[in-house]
Amino acid sequence: MAMFGYMTDTETVEPIDTVEVESEGDDLESLLFHFLDDWLYKFSADLFFVPREVKVLHIDKMRFRMRSIGWGEEFRLPKHPQGTEVKAITYSAMQIHEDKPEIFVIIDI
């Protein structure tokens, strides 16, 4: 949700539609990368969908697959303030701390 907070004020988003995303990776870092990249694609290219909330439904840590759902709506400038464009997700300094749980990801803006 932090990524979408850069792009718009998520408080202006109404949860009127749902979108499901399935992501795959080769390890936990690539799974996290693809999860964020798949959601970025839904916002910037596929549906122009901006979620108000995203929930991870299932994580398979053995096969590195994840299924998630987002509640939101189509991004529209008259309703949603335009923030900073997120161009890409990066692996640079990516950290996953499973014991806390905490993650750190740098995004290109």
Side-chain angles (χ1 to χ4, degrees):
M1 289 313 303
M3 176 178 71
F4 290 110
Y6 278 113
M7 296 186 270
T8 191
D9 177 3
T10 56
E11 294 294 317
T12 65
V13 177
E14 293 182 58
I16 56 178
D17 291 322
T18 59
V19 170
E20 288 195 34
V21 171
E22 293 189 20
S23 306
E24 295 183 19
D26 298 318
D27 54 27
L28 282 179
E29 287 81 12
S30 67
L31 178 59
L32 175 58
F33 173 90
H34 288 289
F35 167 74
L36 293 170
D37 194 53
D38 292 342
W39 276 108
L40 180 59
Y41 181 77
K42 294 296 181 194
F43 178 85
S44 59
D46 188 19
L47 301 170
F48 304 109
F49 181 82
V50 59
R52 182 180 178 101
E53 180 182 356
V54 173
K55 180 179 181 179
V56 174
L57 299 173
H58 180 74
I59 298 175
D60 182 340
K61 291 184 181 180
M62 299 297 288
R63 294 188 180 115
F64 306 111
R65 295 181 183 170
M66 184 184 309
R67 193 165 49 92
S68 58
I69 187 169
W71 293 270
E73 63 184 321
E74 181 181 352
F75 179 81
R76 292 179 290 124
L77 277 175
K79 181 175 184 182
H80 308 108
Q82 186 171 8
T84 304
E85 177 186 2
V86 175
K87 295 181 182 179
I89 309 302
T90 71
Y91 281 101
S92 177
M94 182 183 286
Q95 299 174 29
I96 300 174
H97 301 278
E98 292 186 72
D99 56 326
K100 293 191 182 178
E102 240 177 21
I103 63 169
F104 296 94
V105 179
I106 295 174
I107 54 176
D108 282 345
I109 55 174

